[in-house]
Amino acid sequence: MAEHSSNFGKQMQNITDLLQLQPLVKNFLLHAGNMSKTMLNLESSLQDIRKIKVKNISGKAKRQIRELAKKIGKKVSLTIEGDDIEVDKMIIEKLDDPLMHILRNCLDHGLESPDERIKCGKDETGKINISVEEKNKRFVLTINDDGRGIDLESLKTKAVAGGFFSSGQLAKMDPSEISRLIFRAGLSTAKGLTTISGRGVGMDVVRENVEALKGSIDISTERFKGTTIAISIPLKDNLIVSKGVLFRKGSSKFIIEAANLIEILSSDKVESFSVQGRQKFVKIRDAIHPLIDFKILSGEDRQTANLNGNKLIFILEVKKGQVCFFVDEVLNSQSFVIKEMNCFMKDINIYKGTAILKDGSIGLVLDVDSIVNEYYVHGCN
């Protein structure tokens, strides 16, 4: 009896101790939550300080190419797409010199003179295009021109003369492999050094600079049609800063990048219809667009998903063309720091990543191309 009484006493003491600890535990969890939010805000602020727009180097590129073209008597139109994207300034700073080297090469060796272009049936003004995008957690910079392209036969001749490869080895290479020889030190199709491009520095140095960022560089060319160079850099800590729109679908909040969003309309302003009772379309200003109603995003029944009356329709630009997408409410538009999905959600390919919202919560960034693919793969809902 005494033993049972003793055990009972110990149990009561344990309960008393736990009750006394409860306020401390609650207080600890509260402070831990506040600390977590503070750390997220601090991380976001630090990332904000480091981010700069690609325009920081694209503006400089435009000025230099315009001046150099005038100096050597060539006409050139330089267009830049996507330079509103913001990334870690380290990437921008380290890509500055490689980009300028490539652009000088395009102008000096790639583009023909106005007279040559006219003889070839081209416009006398050569075209150089720079495209910037975030793709698969990488920063992708693409430069192409509509010039004379790389003379692969000349490149092979110089590769043999320089002892890089034998004629037999080159015969087994396809054109893409041969064009990549341009990145080897000491191998170039240039007939000599100029004050415009090269200046003793070859494309091998450009490759080394890109690889120092753990990136890759590729090249494709077509004789008399032009050359394209693509640089791909993994984002620092899988980070990119992009403008986006935060919206609600059902009771869930999502982010869609502004680059994919063409227009927002009220659903009562458009005519919708279905084909064979499955595939839905909307008619907007005499144009017909597929209508995506991807229920997996909200996880709710269609009848309960709309909390505020009429839905809105996003018109999106995707690889398959333009599509429309139901949402319930637009919350705000801002720049978001997009980070890689954690290990538990990496295989869910409809999400591009996550972003820290202003209230400290986490938002899911949609990969609209993957959503459209999933929609069609699973039989249009």
Side-chain angles (χ1 to χ4, degrees):
M1 183 75 178
E3 184 179 348
H4 286 299
S5 177
S6 175
N7 288 337
F8 178 75
K10 288 180 180 178
Q11 290 172 1
M12 289 302 296
Q13 184 61 47
N14 289 338
I15 292 171
T16 303
D17 292 342
L18 286 172
L19 289 172
Q20 289 175 342
L21 283 172
Q22 190 175 17
L24 294 175
V25 172
K26 186 177 180 180
N27 193 42
F28 171 77
L29 292 175
L30 177 64
H31 283 293
N34 290 338
M35 185 177 291
S36 177
K37 184 177 286 189
T38 301
M39 291 302 293
L40 287 172
N41 290 337
L42 178 60
E43 178 189 26
S44 181
S45 299
L46 290 173
Q47 290 166 348
D48 231 32
I49 292 170
R50 289 190 59 81
K51 68 184 182 184
I52 58 175
K53 289 187 178 182
V54 178
K55 275 184 180 176
N56 283 38
I57 58 173
S58 64
K60 170 186 171 183
K62 278 187 173 181
R63 290 192 301 273
Q64 289 198 14
I65 290 303
R66 186 167 56 245
E67 292 168 3
L68 292 173
K70 187 176 180 180
K71 184 176 181 179
I72 62 177
K74 290 186 178 180
K75 295 184 177 181
V76 60
S77 170
L78 175 62
T79 57
I80 302 173
E81 302 170 2
D83 60 350
D84 274 330
I85 285 179
E86 298 173 312
V87 292
D88 191 289
K89 67 178 182 179
M90 179 196 70
I91 294 176
I92 298 296
E93 290 168 354
K94 291 193 175 181
L95 283 181
D96 189 1
D97 287 342
L99 174 62
M100 289 312 305
H101 182 90
I102 291 168
L103 290 175
R104 289 191 188 100
N105 270 351
C106 289
L107 181 62
D108 199 16
H109 303 306
L111 297 183
E112 308 93 335
S113 67
D115 289 341
E116 285 181 275
R117 292 181 64 84
I118 291 172
K119 287 178 183 178
C120 294
K122 297 180 179 180
D123 188 284
E124 65 176 359
T125 301
K127 296 179 178 62
I128 300 175
N129 177 259
I130 301 173
S131 172
V132 182
E133 63 178 330
E134 182 270 326
K135 190 175 182 181
N136 297 327
K137 315 291 188 304
R138 299 178 77 87
F139 172 72
V140 180
L141 180 67
T142 306
I143 307 103
N144 62 63
D145 67 64
D146 70 342
R148 57 174 63 93
I150 296 172
D151 186 344
L152 297 184
E153 291 303 316
S154 174
L155 191 58
K156 288 195 287 185
T157 299
K158 291 197 173 186
V160 173
F164 294 96
F165 295 96
S166 66
S167 298
Q169 289 174 315
L170 292 170
K172 296 176 182 178
M173 294 184 184
D174 60 33
S176 64
E177 290 177 299
I178 293 168
S179 62
R180 285 187 58 81
L181 297 180
I182 205 78
F183 296 120
R184 282 184 169 262
L187 190 53
S188 169
T189 57
K191 295 176 181 177
L193 299 181
T194 73
T195 58
I196 304 300
S197 64
R199 296 171 295 174
V201 177
M203 288 293 288
D204 59 299
V205 176
V206 172
R207 174 182 56 77
E208 288 170 2
N209 286 345
V210 170
E211 290 177 350
L213 289 168
K214 298 181 180 178
S216 62
I217 184 168
D218 205 358
I219 188 168
S220 60
T221 188
E222 189 174 353
R223 194 70 174 131
F224 306 118
K225 295 289 183 67
T227 299
T228 298
I229 294 175
I231 295 172
S232 177
I233 307 292
L235 294 165
K236 180 71 174 175
D237 295 327
N238 301 301
L239 170 70
I240 190 166
V241 179
S242 181
K243 290 181 180 178
V245 174
L246 177 67
F247 69 92
R248 179 180 61 77
K249 183 171 175 63
S251 59
S252 303
K253 297 176 184 178
F254 302 96
I255 298 161
I256 197 162
E257 289 183 279
N260 294 117
L261 186 58
I262 299 174
E263 191 175 359
I264 303 174
L265 297 171
S266 174
S267 60
D268 60 3
K269 302 292 185 184
V270 300
E271 178 186 342
S272 62
F273 60 94
S274 60
V275 176
Q276 297 178 344
R278 295 185 69 192
Q279 173 67 66
K280 301 174 185 65
F281 295 89
V282 291
K283 185 178 181 182
I284 301 172
R285 294 185 287 273
D286 298 324
I288 305 297
H289 303 291
L291 177 62
I292 307 297
D293 191 8
F294 206 68
K295 292 181 289 183
I296 193 173
L297 292 182
S298 62
E300 298 177 358
D301 185 82
R302 192 173 297 163
Q303 275 117 17
T304 62
N306 185 9
L307 303 180
N308 284 347
N310 289 330
K311 289 185 177 182
L312 298 171
I313 290 181
F314 283 179
I315 304 177
L316 306 174
E317 185 72 46
V318 297
K319 290 177 182 176
K320 293 181 182 293
Q322 291 186 3
V323 300
C324 293
F325 186 87
F326 267 136
V327 307
D328 294 316
E329 182 184 9
V330 172
L331 301 175
N332 67 48
S333 175
Q334 66 181 75
S335 291
F336 295 95
V337 178
I338 302 174
K339 299 190 73 176
E340 182 183 27
M341 300 294 288
N342 65 41
C343 58
F344 300 107
M345 300 184 72
K346 277 186 177 180
D347 294 332
I348 306 177
N349 61 2
I350 64 170
Y351 301 122
K352 182 172 284 188
T354 59
I356 303 169
L357 304 182
K358 287 181 177 179
D359 63 1
S361 62
I362 302 297
L364 293 168
V365 184
L366 301 181
D367 186 330
V368 293
D369 285 304
S370 293
I371 287 174
V372 172
N373 289 337
E374 289 282 329
Y375 173 77
Y376 287 110
V377 166
H378 291 93
C380 305
N381 288 339

